[in-house]
Amino acid sequence: MRRGRAARLARAATFVAGLYVVVAGHVGSNNVFFAGEAGPYPVSVIIRPPEVIPGLAEVSVRVPGGGADRVTVRPVRWDAAPEGGAPPPDDAVPVAGDPELYAAELWLMTVGAYRVVVAVEGSRGSGEVSVPVTSVMLGVRDLPPGLGWMLAALALLLVAGVVAITGAAVRESQIPAGETAGSRQRRRARIAMAVTALGVAGILYLGHQWWEAVDREIRSGIFERLAVESAIVRDGGTPVLEIAITDPAWRGRDWSPLVPDHGKLMHMFLVGAPGMDAFAHVHPVPVDSSTFRVPWPDLPPGEYRIYGDIVQESGFAQTVVDTVAVDAAALAAQAFPPEPAAGLPRDADDSAWTGIPMALSGPGSEARLDDGSILEWQGDQELRVDEETVLSFRVWDPDEKPAELEPYMGMRSHAALSRDDGAVFVHLHPAGTISMGSLAVLAPGGSPMAGADARTGVVEFPFAFPQPGEYTIWVQVKREGRVLTGAFQATVAE
């Protein structure tokens, strides 16, 4: 069969290693990838958020085909006033040796949801696009031990100097020049030195207590994923997966209503562990403010990793993570095909897959879909950590013709990938790693339909793997009203 070549993003500068957190639809990667259009200009944007807040985010903007005279970037908080609520835009500087690439650094001053407005001006006019970014504090930078000891030694030297100067002043300030201090002056000097030493020690102690209080306050703002508990329960005799957010932060003042992402309040992914031979993309519905339920999909008993994407009304997106063990007894009463649970209808967009992922040995590797279609890998021959790439696939129908794809929850395709040990999980769209729910909150009307050609069956996902290792990639497309899933096993080298 005749197969087209996949377009690839040209290599940008070498990436800095990703930050390993659970946030914004990711586990093990905090970088943001976006592919879309700023008016008449196609753009590819990579944002590397800072580890500490306030901190500098690194922004790379590629304008394929050139034609840009000026590129600017601007961070806007979700609650910024429409006028004057954000800093002025910063110019992105052209990167030497690459006429399509621009780089900038932006200060993210607070924790929360932002949108980075990327504006392009050039020969084709002007345009802009917003890229959602979740700003979180991942840690506090500790003082290097060597520098700490050096500063402590200098502080002791200063204290000794203050005490010595005080003693000299009391001992010698009131005696004529050329005379020596008597026993009375020396005694008064020793008393003054002792009092000074005690005073300085008290000041140092109070300063230490103040510093500890500030440090505790700062560390309390370090991002931690929400604690959840998952279990298989019964609903009208049908097995149901229940996930409850038990974190006090969620149940208390930090509770916030959720907003839909692709029309769903939660996107949940179930990954069979350790074999990666079972996968489901389902959409639990809330039964109260902190509990979600979904009928158990057509998956066998076993151990499953759970990843649930949610978006709060501020645009702040995060992923809840848990594991659940499902035994045969829990599914014994389940009918096949499964019957709807009482009051809990099945979502037509829910899907499940079981099988053995196909080894990704290079362009042309194929996975068979349930309707007889073929999912072909057209990406890079080798995948390496922290290298910008495009995960590119083409769907062929059973007659070996390019398959025509239907929108699946507002996108041409969805994908999920996980390192086999669970250290990395990412939910991908053709528009990148951004949350569509966050985009809908932060930039209404900005939802892109990118990265695919419905007539040629090509779907593409911009990405860079944050860690080396063995990965499984699940790609989902929709044809004739049916969600189809294909899986590949890939090795990512250093």
Side-chain angles (χ1 to χ4, degrees):
M1 85 177 46
R2 185 178 179 181
R3 313 248 169 126
R5 292 184 178 180
R8 296 181 179 87
L9 291 175
R11 297 287 191 254
T14 302
F15 281 178
V16 178
L19 305 174
Y20 304 145
V21 296
V22 180
V23 63
H26 314 298
V27 174
S29 174
N30 197 38
N31 292 338
V32 177
F33 300 86
F34 172 82
E37 294 180 346
Y41 302 93
V43 293
S44 175
V45 182
I46 302 171
I47 302 174
R48 306 173 186 89
E51 182 177 357
V52 296
I53 304 295
L56 282 170
E58 299 177 15
V59 183
S60 299
V61 181
R62 182 177 295 280
V63 185
D69 296 329
R70 186 188 183 202
V71 176
T72 63
V73 291
R74 182 189 189 202
V76 182
R77 258 188 65 95
W78 72 277
D79 55 356
E83 297 294 336
D90 292 344
D91 283 296
V93 179
V95 176
D98 191 336
E100 297 180 346
L101 186 62
Y102 297 79
E105 291 184 334
L106 289 179
W107 280 101
L108 299 184
M109 302 302 296
T110 59
V111 169
Y114 280 80
R115 61 185 173 98
V116 173
V117 180
V118 178
V120 182
E121 300 175 7
S123 57
R124 284 170 275 171
S126 62
E128 66 177 40
V129 68
S130 293
V131 182
V133 177
T134 301
S135 172
V136 295
M137 185 166 64
L138 306 180
V140 176
R141 293 180 179 173
D142 294 321
L143 195 67
L147 179 60
W149 283 111
M150 183 180 71
L151 292 176
L154 291 174
L156 288 176
L157 181 62
L158 288 173
V159 170
V162 169
V163 172
I165 290 171
T166 301
V170 172
R171 184 177 58 247
E172 300 179 9
S173 63
Q174 296 182 359
I175 61 175
E179 295 185 10
T180 59
S183 59
R184 181 180 178 185
Q185 284 82 10
R186 289 194 295 271
R187 183 169 61 253
R188 290 178 59 191
R190 286 193 291 271
I191 294 173
M193 292 173 68
V195 171
T196 301
L198 288 173
V200 172
I203 292 173
L204 291 176
Y205 174 77
L206 293 176
H208 174 73
Q209 293 299 106
W210 171 81
W211 181 263
E212 289 293 313
V214 171
D215 185 65
R216 285 193 299 270
E217 181 180 357
I218 294 298
R219 290 181 185 275
S220 69
I222 294 175
F223 177 82
E224 295 182 4
R225 66 175 180 263
L226 292 170
V228 298
E229 292 182 359
S230 304
I232 300 295
V233 299
R234 289 282 171 178
D235 186 342
T238 299
V240 169
L241 175 61
E242 179 179 276
I243 182 166
I245 302 175
T246 59
D247 200 299
W250 180 259
R251 293 175 174 268
R253 62 182 177 85
D254 290 335
W255 180 84
S256 172
L258 300 180
V259 295
D261 183 6
H262 298 297
K264 319 293 182 180
L265 290 180
M266 177 182 285
H267 290 261
M268 178 182 287
F269 299 87
L270 306 174
V271 177
M276 316 299 281
D277 55 356
F279 171 85
H281 179 182
V282 295
H283 307 92
V285 296
V287 295
D288 57 41
S289 61
S290 59
T291 306
F292 296 78
R293 286 184 173 183
V294 64
W296 181 255
D298 186 9
L299 295 178
E303 298 280 341
Y304 289 88
R305 301 186 186 114
I306 297 174
Y307 306 94
D309 294 346
I310 56 176
V311 181
Q312 293 173 248
E313 65 177 358
S314 66
F316 189 93
Q318 59 181 306
T319 300
V320 296
V321 179
D322 200 15
T323 59
V324 66
V326 182
D327 57 29
L331 305 182
Q334 181 172 352
F336 290 94
E339 298 177 355
L344 194 63
R346 291 187 177 271
D347 193 316
D349 292 321
D350 287 359
S351 60
W353 170 92
T354 56
I356 299 175
M358 299 302 295
L360 200 162
S361 56
S365 300
E366 297 178 348
R368 184 73 61 172
L369 305 182
D370 286 345
D371 69 343
S373 302
I374 296 171
L375 181 68
E376 179 193 17
W377 167 250
Q378 296 191 322
D380 288 335
Q381 176 72 30
E382 293 183 356
L383 299 174
R384 294 191 173 276
V385 68
D386 291 337
E387 286 191 356
E388 182 184 357
T389 188
V390 170
L391 307 180
S392 182
F393 305 86
R394 170 169 278 176
V395 183
W396 303 86
D397 68 20
D399 296 329
E400 298 190 351
K401 297 179 180 178
E404 186 167 343
L405 305 179
E406 301 170 4
Y408 175 35
M409 289 187 292
M411 304 298 292
R412 295 297 185 196
S413 177
H414 289 251
L417 60 85
S418 176
R419 206 170 83 162
D420 288 1
D421 62 358
V424 175
F425 176 85
V426 177
H427 177 196
L428 281 166
H429 305 116
T433 60
I434 64 170
S435 163
M436 296 295 106
S438 296
L439 185 63
V441 171
L442 299 169
S447 299
M449 177 79 77
D453 188 328
R455 293 165 298 178
T456 64
V458 174
V459 292
E460 297 178 337
F461 308 90
F463 191 60
F465 290 89
Q467 302 179 38
E470 298 296 319
Y471 285 79
T472 302
I473 306 170
W474 294 273
V475 179
Q476 298 190 291
V477 296
K478 192 172 186 180
R479 297 193 65 218
E480 299 179 352
R482 185 179 180 185
V483 179
L484 306 170
T485 303
F488 289 95
Q489 186 77 23
T491 300
V492 177
E494 287 279 4

